[in-house]
Amino acid sequence: MCIIHKVVYFVKVNIKSKSSEETEALGEKIGRLLKKGDIILLTGDLGAGKTVFAKGIGRGMGINDYITSPTFMLVNEHTGKIPLYHFDVYRIADYSELYDIGYEEYFYGDGVCVIEWSEKIEPLLPKDNLHVFLKMGDAEGERDIEIISNGERYNDILKEMNR
């Protein structure tokens, strides 16, 4: 008997952003490459730039809405050629709260999901995703950004982004 294992490598990119404008521009660059069904995870401390990055993603997707953190709403829906579902799960006590809003329709639907504080709902997350880690840098406004692709689709995004 022959067993074939498919090996999928991840791609990791480290970027130093010197301002919120650069952080947003990076999000915009990625936003231009997204397709329906894509999942973007944003991880970082309060004030690390998650919402700024999400604004850039929306702009890159051609969404003209003013994008703010949906802290008290759980998810904001933004209409565009492809819908953007912007989650902020900071305030949930348990990931099971997402069952109440039918998270599967968002995660596996026709839009792009951007999820702030994604580590709080880890058991529900699709294994294929683009994970963005944002950390405050040494200087004012500076951010250290690490982006890891999980899955071939996201490897392609990072490769295309670096062209």
Side-chain angles (χ1 to χ4, degrees):
M1 179 163 88
C2 179
I3 298 174
I4 299 174
H5 294 279
K6 182 177 179 184
V7 177
V8 177
Y9 297 96
F10 69 89
V11 176
K12 180 167 94 168
V13 175
N14 290 298
I15 298 166
K16 180 156 304 265
S17 168
K18 295 183 176 153
S19 66
S20 59
E21 292 81 15
E22 283 186 16
T23 300
E24 189 170 339
L26 178 60
E28 183 177 358
K29 193 173 188 180
I30 289 173
R32 286 191 208 109
L33 301 171
L34 298 177
K35 298 179 181 175
K36 75 176 191 170
D38 285 342
I39 305 281
I40 311 302
L41 311 178
L42 303 178
T43 300
D45 292 335
L46 284 170
K50 295 179 297 296
T51 302
V52 170
F53 197 88
K55 285 179 188 179
I57 288 173
R59 193 169 64 204
M61 292 175 61
I63 293 171
N64 296 320
D65 293 351
Y66 182 68
I67 295 177
T68 60
S69 182
T71 302
F72 297 101
M73 299 276 301
L74 213 62
V75 63
N76 283 341
E77 298 182 28
H78 301 280
T79 305
K81 183 177 158 188
I82 301 170
L84 171 62
Y85 306 123
H86 182 198
F87 287 80
D88 184 330
V89 296
Y90 177 73
R91 296 194 185 280
I92 67 168
D94 185 79
Y95 69 86
S96 63
E97 291 179 41
L98 287 182
Y99 290 114
D100 295 337
I101 65 164
Y103 80 93
E104 298 98 333
E105 292 179 34
Y106 293 105
F107 286 14
Y108 303 103
D110 290 334
V112 167
C113 289
V114 173
I115 307 165
E116 295 188 33
W117 300 97
S118 58
E119 63 276 15
K120 294 189 76 156
I121 61 166
E122 197 168 333
L124 302 179
L125 297 172
K127 67 179 176 78
D128 288 358
N129 59 65
L130 191 67
H131 202 150
V132 181
F133 298 87
L134 297 111
K135 189 172 117 180
M136 291 183 211
D138 296 329
E140 179 77 24
E142 193 175 80
R143 299 293 182 265
D144 295 318
I145 303 170
E146 180 178 79
I147 306 172
I148 299 175
S149 64
N150 295 300
E152 290 182 44
R153 161 78 185 122
Y154 302 97
N155 290 349
D156 293 343
I157 289 172
L158 287 187
K159 288 175 190 170
E160 185 65 29
M161 185 187 89
N162 284 318
R163 288 187 182 173

